[in-house]
Amino acid sequence: MLIAVILTLAVGTYAFRLSGVVLRDRLALPDGVNRLLPMAAAALLAALAVTAALTEAGAFAGFARPSGVLVGAVLAWRRAPFIAVVVAAAATAALLRLLGVP
Amino acid sequence: MRTAGRTATPASTPALLRDVGAIGVAIVAIGASFGAVAVAAGLPVVATIAMSALLYAGGAQFMAVGLIAAGSPVAAVFAGLLLNARHLPFGLALGDVLGRRWRDRLLGSHLMTDEATAFALAQPDPAGRRRAFWLAGTVLFLAWNLGTLAGVLLASRVGDPLRLGLDAAFPAGLLALLLPALREPQTRRVALVGAAVAVLVTPLLPAGLPVLLALSGLAVLLLPRRHRERPC
């Protein structure tokens, strides 16, 4: 049973991954639609980032994580190096938790 | 990411490697946490390692382990697949970034993650996107699987990634990679509306669906606007 669950998940996920790549080639999409695809990906990634920043299992994630992400986002906006963004976000959240912020 | 996109110059390989490495370190730690959690939940060591190698999707793996441990294997499959459906539009957006040969498509598809997609799309030109995708894809795959292996071996000695604030590192990294694209007004509107929709419906819908509903942000392009831009 466990093997079946893992294999079904693995095959299904791989099918999602591959089918987008193959469909892009086969569908010969009009330019207008092709122009939308990077925007669609940006919307998905932005939604992932924001939901991951704010929520955990469908509820508010607490203050430490969004604060860390906000510090990282401000640094990114100010064109800080990528490593600084990631480290500052993690350090802020870690520090707030150390101080007892949920 | 100073090196990519924002200045419209492709990132050099060492600069890319440094940036991918920063996320890679965090992924090793989260992978170790997954390995430890899965083994503690009663998953056999081989199944845990196979899951990271074959499924290779962190969110779905944590969710599946939880549901399997709760005795709901069918729910684990449906929830995991719903969570991973976003890879289809990622594949559509990436297209030839993986390469035109079947070997590249078949292998590259397995390496497709949120982060690899974000690193690739942050690059301004096709060659840079391909390099960034393969570099991030390979490094992060190794990081996740090495992390899992370490977690399985060290088990209870693995620390809590929350104490290191790593849960804040991933959203911040994704936002940093998205910023160049978000400086374009149309993309920014689409992404903001999509993200807002996703957050609003997150308390109501099963995981995975809110992020997919972010695609509704594309509807803002239908609104009439005074400054209608037509990028080539």
Side-chain angles (χ1 to χ4, degrees):
Chain A
M1 190 62 180
L2 179 62
I3 294 170
V5 169
I6 292 174
L7 286 182
T8 312
L9 272 172
V11 170
T13 300
Y14 184 71
F16 280 132
R17 285 170 164 149
L18 183 64
S19 54
V21 175
V22 174
L23 279 175
R24 170 72 178 267
D25 196 38
R26 292 292 154 89
L27 289 178
L29 298 165
D31 277 354
V33 177
N34 275 331
R35 199 173 63 81
L36 294 182
L37 293 174
M39 288 192 208
L44 290 167
L45 290 168
L48 271 172
V50 177
T51 53
L54 293 175
T55 67
E56 175 68 40
F60 183 53
F63 292 97
R65 190 194 299 172
S67 307
V69 176
L70 188 65
V71 168
V74 169
L75 283 175
W77 186 254
R78 305 287 301 271
R79 296 171 194 259
F82 184 77
I83 291 190
V85 170
V86 172
V87 171
T92 304
L95 195 65
L96 286 173
R97 290 201 178 108
L98 200 65
L99 296 172
V101 177
Chain B
M1 175 143 115
R2 185 197 298 274
T3 41
R6 251 185 250 178
T7 50
T9 49
S12 66
T13 300
L16 256 176
L17 201 57
R18 187 192 61 210
D19 292 353
V20 170
I23 289 292
V25 169
I27 286 188
V28 170
I30 304 280
S33 158
F34 170 75
V37 164
V39 170
L43 227 65
V45 165
V46 177
T48 305
I49 290 169
M51 216 175 183
S52 280
L54 301 175
L55 173 51
Y56 184 46
Q61 287 180 225
F62 274 106
M63 181 184 262
V65 165
L67 289 168
I68 290 168
S72 322
V74 177
V77 169
F78 282 106
L81 290 180
L82 184 59
L83 199 59
N84 288 340
R86 65 181 187 280
H87 288 95
L88 196 155
F90 283 162
L92 280 173
L94 287 167
D96 283 348
V97 167
L98 277 62
R100 291 207 46 85
R101 282 179 300 186
W102 272 101
R103 191 196 67 190
D104 295 340
R105 288 173 175 175
L106 292 171
L107 183 61
S109 290
H110 190 53
L111 302 179
M112 185 192 299
T113 55
D114 306 327
E115 284 77 17
T117 304
F119 270 108
L121 297 181
Q123 296 297 316
D125 64 304
R129 281 195 283 273
R130 179 166 309 185
R131 199 156 44 97
F133 177 84
W134 281 95
L135 200 143
T138 309
V139 169
L140 301 182
F141 182 80
L142 292 175
W144 180 248
N145 284 283
L146 285 174
T148 303
L149 196 63
V152 163
L153 295 175
L154 300 173
S156 57
R157 272 170 291 170
V158 172
D160 179 3
L162 290 184
R163 288 188 58 191
L164 298 172
L166 293 179
D167 54 326
F170 289 94
L174 277 184
L175 286 176
L177 291 171
L178 271 176
L179 268 186
L182 296 183
R183 286 178 198 269
E184 198 274 306
Q186 276 193 324
T187 304
R188 183 165 64 235
R189 273 193 293 271
V190 169
L192 282 177
V193 172
V197 168
V199 169
L200 287 175
V201 299
T202 291
L204 311 171
L205 297 174
L209 215 47
V211 165
L212 288 178
L213 285 179
L215 293 173
S216 66
L218 289 168
V220 300
L221 299 174
L222 302 172
L223 298 175
R225 271 190 321 279
R226 279 174 300 161
H227 316 286
R228 192 168 186 92
E229 293 156 280
R230 289 223 169 266
C232 40

